[in-house]
Amino acid sequence: MSTLLENLNWRYATKKYDASKKVSSADLNTIKEAVRLAASSYGLQPYKVIVVENPEIREQLKAAAYGQTQLTDASQIFVFANDLNAGEESVAAYIKNISETRGIPVDALGGFADMMNGVISNLSQDAKNIWTAKQTYIALGTLLAAASELKIDATPMEGFNAAEFNKILGFDKLGLNATVIAAVGYRHDEDDAQHFKKVRKSQEELFITI
């Protein structure tokens, strides 16, 4: 069985996908569950993740992503969208979830709720948007690691017109904003990038131990 480091060395940002190969429903569910379990500030998860399979919508997204073929050739497209309206309502829903999951009375969680509400309410709208957008990248990283464990290719992508994505996916009406996307599927035999050696900084260059 391969190790996490071997899997991370195996993965790369796939450029060309084999459109004839699809991720199984079981593997797709494993990836989704990994994303669901990703770390998040307070555990609040101030975002939505949209899995796009519809061919017509994907053609529209491809046009909004400057014609990148991953949008139509990969098995699925994950679109991470941060919540533009994170606040008391989302905190209340989270507190209710904690109460039901852990069997703790809502009243006993009042201090935690007040703390979260206090922090969020003190953020400007721009600062709040930056914070919630950052949370989506944590979930994205978890997706990449989970996909590599399954030997499923994944491509993180920022090269798209967010405003167009928001319009196509109806995010404007949902208070969401597309921040980053990930294509998942299987590399094409003709994708030359799979043969390139991975280039990263050495540990000596990257890390500073104090």
Side-chain angles (χ1 to χ4, degrees):
M1 184 175 180
S2 57
T3 67
L4 174 61
L5 292 182
E6 287 172 339
N7 293 328
L8 292 178
N9 270 298
W10 169 85
R11 73 151 303 277
Y12 72 106
T14 305
K15 306 301 181 186
K16 184 177 177 61
Y17 281 86
D18 187 337
S20 69
K21 296 181 179 179
K22 301 299 179 184
V23 174
S24 70
S25 58
D27 284 346
L28 182 63
N29 189 64
T30 297
I31 293 173
K32 290 165 68 176
E33 185 65 3
V35 171
R36 188 183 74 86
L37 295 172
S40 174
S41 183
Y42 307 121
L44 191 59
Q45 296 173 292
Y47 50 80
K48 291 282 189 181
V49 186
I50 292 76
V51 183
V52 186
E53 297 182 337
N54 183 285
E56 290 79 15
I57 293 177
R58 290 173 63 172
E59 283 289 349
Q60 295 178 53
L61 295 178
K62 178 181 177 181
Y66 315 112
Q68 296 181 85
T69 59
Q70 294 98 323
L71 273 293
T72 50
D73 292 348
S75 181
Q76 283 85 19
I77 303 298
F78 282 70
V79 181
F80 295 83
N82 65 308
D83 183 0
L84 299 176
N85 300 309
E88 292 187 1
E89 187 175 332
S90 48
V91 169
Y94 179 43
I95 290 296
K96 182 175 182 291
N97 194 359
I98 295 174
S99 173
E100 294 174 349
T101 302
R102 297 179 178 173
I104 302 172
V106 169
D107 291 346
L109 298 166
F112 185 37
D114 290 344
M115 183 270 291
M116 286 189 287
N117 282 323
V119 171
I120 295 171
S121 65
N122 283 325
L123 295 174
S124 67
Q125 187 62 47
D126 284 346
K128 184 167 66 173
N129 291 345
I130 291 170
W131 170 62
T132 56
K134 285 181 177 179
Q135 301 305 304
T136 67
Y137 282 81
I138 300 173
L140 169 68
T142 302
L143 180 150
L144 298 178
S148 73
E149 290 275 292
L150 297 169
K151 287 296 187 290
I152 292 172
D153 291 296
T155 309
M157 304 172 72
E158 291 182 309
F160 62 94
N161 185 317
E164 285 298 312
F165 265 57
N166 293 343
K167 181 179 178 181
I168 294 166
L169 297 171
F171 287 172
D172 294 330
K173 300 176 182 178
L174 300 175
L176 299 171
N177 175 65
T179 56
V180 67
I181 62 179
V184 299
Y186 297 96
R187 64 190 67 176
H188 198 287
D189 290 342
E190 296 176 358
D191 187 2
D192 292 336
Q194 66 187 292
H195 304 299
F196 299 159
K197 288 187 175 181
K198 188 178 288 289
V199 179
R200 294 292 189 271
K201 292 180 179 179
S202 68
Q203 287 197 20
E204 290 74 20
E205 290 177 292
L206 184 60
F207 295 99
I208 298 174
T209 302
I210 300 175

